[in-house]
Amino acid sequence: MGAGLWASIRTAEASGGLTPGDAALLRFPAALELLEADFWIQYNELGGIQDSEVPGGSGNPLYTAALAMLDEDMDQYIHDNTDDEITHHQFLNAYLMAHGAAPANLDPFRTLMGSTATGVNTALIGHRLTNLTQLTVDTSWWTRYRDDSHNPDLDPNFVFPQAVPTLGVNQHTAIPRTDADTSDPNFLQAIANTAGFHFPTIEQGGTSLYPSLAQRATHTEVLRILISIGPTETMHFQTWSDKAGNAPALTAVDPVTGVSVTFPDLDVTDELFKKNLIMPEPCPFLDTSLPIVSIIRPTNTEGIAMGALTFLTNMGLFIGQSAAFFAYMTQLAQDADHAKHGRG
């Protein structure tokens, strides 16, 4: 590495500035937090608590009641998770701007329809970033965190079983699209169950993302930001993984698409599926010759940002978004993946 580049990095560190790589490491999660806040706001409008912290909706009593079948405090937890994600993107963008770096800006892409059911903020209909009505939800995290023999960082080709296999195929709505979706109690419960599994599916992604990105940071303050926000995502993940296990067992057919979904009873003895085993089982880490240890997984930093974007895209969260949106997000992900510790 040339002496001039080293000097520029040291100057940036000494002045409290950001290297381009560190800025990229903050800008990508800022964009993801904007996306998270967008869909959590949709959930909160319909099934959470509306107040001065998270205003805008008026609640959908029938959907809220269906969510409460998973836990009576679901509305409060949804509210608090929403509030957290809003503060994450606000802080990250403010920090970037305070250090002379460009923030993440997704405002041009607020074009998706969203729900028109009772309770939504009508001013935001047609102005969403994310699509919660056509989700394909990968629930393999359920068994990945209960498996003491495999780690995706060491066994990238190992296939972890799905907790809810039918959620992993076809497309499912996690919110009532219209008031018609609340007319059948069984189907409405399936919608709430889908949300209940979507919550931890999203949050386990953030649980891995932050420690993976942190390994690329140069400035110690950037490292501090990443390792301070990351554990809050883990707190969300464990909360939601606990609640998902309470989803009532049922089979329902979407009256609009004809797609069927089955939620199994997870009150079982098989430790790979047993619902109350929400502490991560120890697993191999770094090298199989070492003892197994309880950790977050995966945390391999190679390609983590593009991997996260691909994961969210495959979920259907961005169905309906423009080519410009994908180009923008792809550039942010590539910039973050190209950041190297100590190299700017």
Side-chain angles (χ1 to χ4, degrees):
M1 178 176 292
L5 181 55
W6 268 117
S8 67
I9 291 174
R10 296 306 181 202
T11 300
E13 290 178 338
S15 65
L18 292 175
T19 67
D22 278 352
L25 291 173
L26 298 181
R27 193 176 298 113
F28 179 68
L32 292 194
E33 296 288 3
L34 280 163
L35 294 166
E36 275 199 274
D38 179 83
F39 68 69
W40 276 112
I41 287 169
Q42 294 180 64
Y43 280 129
N44 193 71
E45 288 174 8
L46 292 165
I49 294 173
Q50 291 76 41
D51 58 16
S52 59
E53 284 186 329
V54 189
S58 57
N60 186 294
L62 293 174
Y63 180 60
T64 302
L67 287 167
M69 294 296 292
L70 281 68
D71 190 283
E72 62 181 10
D73 292 323
M74 289 289 277
D75 57 351
Q76 184 67 60
Y77 295 153
I78 289 171
H79 168 280
D80 291 351
N81 206 142
T82 306
D83 187 35
D84 287 355
E85 309 304 357
I86 292 171
T87 67
H88 287 168
H89 75 71
Q90 288 177 340
F91 177 87
L92 289 167
N93 269 342
Y95 185 89
L96 284 163
M97 291 186 290
H99 289 76
N105 180 13
L106 300 182
D107 286 345
F109 310 118
R110 296 184 182 276
T111 60
L112 302 187
M113 187 65 179
S115 171
T116 60
T118 297
V120 302
N121 182 349
T122 56
L124 293 181
I125 294 175
H127 300 285
R128 309 292 189 179
L129 288 170
T130 56
N131 185 344
L132 295 176
T133 67
Q134 295 174 272
L135 297 178
T136 304
V137 183
D138 181 347
T139 58
S140 62
W141 53 266
W142 183 279
T143 56
R144 173 167 24 102
Y145 270 96
R146 289 162 170 78
D147 189 329
D148 62 4
S149 300
H150 301 93
N151 179 340
D153 285 337
L154 297 178
D155 303 297
N157 296 319
F158 183 80
V159 177
F160 293 91
Q162 302 276 333
V164 186
T166 52
L167 277 183
V169 295
N170 299 314
Q171 296 176 350
H172 310 271
T173 186
I175 54 174
R177 296 160 293 199
T178 67
D179 283 340
D181 281 341
T182 65
S183 61
D184 177 355
N186 188 60
F187 179 58
L188 180 59
Q189 189 61 59
I191 294 175
N193 286 6
T194 299
F197 275 94
H198 185 232
F199 298 166
T201 299
I202 285 291
E203 299 301 324
Q204 60 88 28
T207 293
S208 287
L209 177 69
Y210 278 95
S212 298
L213 292 179
Q215 297 171 64
R216 295 178 173 270
T218 293
H219 199 293
T220 55
E221 195 164 76
V222 173
L223 174 63
R224 182 179 180 184
I225 290 170
L226 294 171
I227 64 174
S228 295
I229 292 179
T232 69
E233 303 289 339
T234 308
M235 294 173 72
H236 298 159
F237 170 51
Q238 187 170 48
T239 297
W240 293 126
S241 62
D242 183 35
K243 306 314 170 191
N246 298 329
L250 60 83
T251 295
V253 177
D254 188 323
V256 175
T257 65
V259 168
S260 176
V261 63
T262 296
F263 292 90
D265 182 357
L266 293 170
D267 189 10
V268 295
T269 57
D270 185 344
E271 292 192 354
L272 269 184
F273 294 96
K274 188 174 178 61
K275 70 178 187 178
N276 64 351
L277 298 181
I278 63 169
M279 306 293 180
E281 285 293 312
C283 72
F285 182 48
L286 299 181
D287 191 290
T288 55
S289 66
L290 296 170
I292 60 175
V293 59
S294 183
I295 55 161
I296 298 300
R297 64 266 207 175
T299 54
N300 185 3
T301 189
E302 189 68 30
I304 180 62
M306 275 304 301
L309 180 59
T310 300
F311 175 73
L312 296 176
T313 301
N314 292 343
M315 184 184 294
L317 201 60
F318 308 136
I319 290 176
Q321 272 293 0
S322 65
F325 167 84
F326 289 105
Y328 179 76
M329 290 301 302
T330 297
Q331 187 62 61
L332 294 187
Q334 290 175 342
D335 289 346
D337 280 337
H338 290 157
K340 299 292 185 182
H341 175 71
R343 288 178 55 189

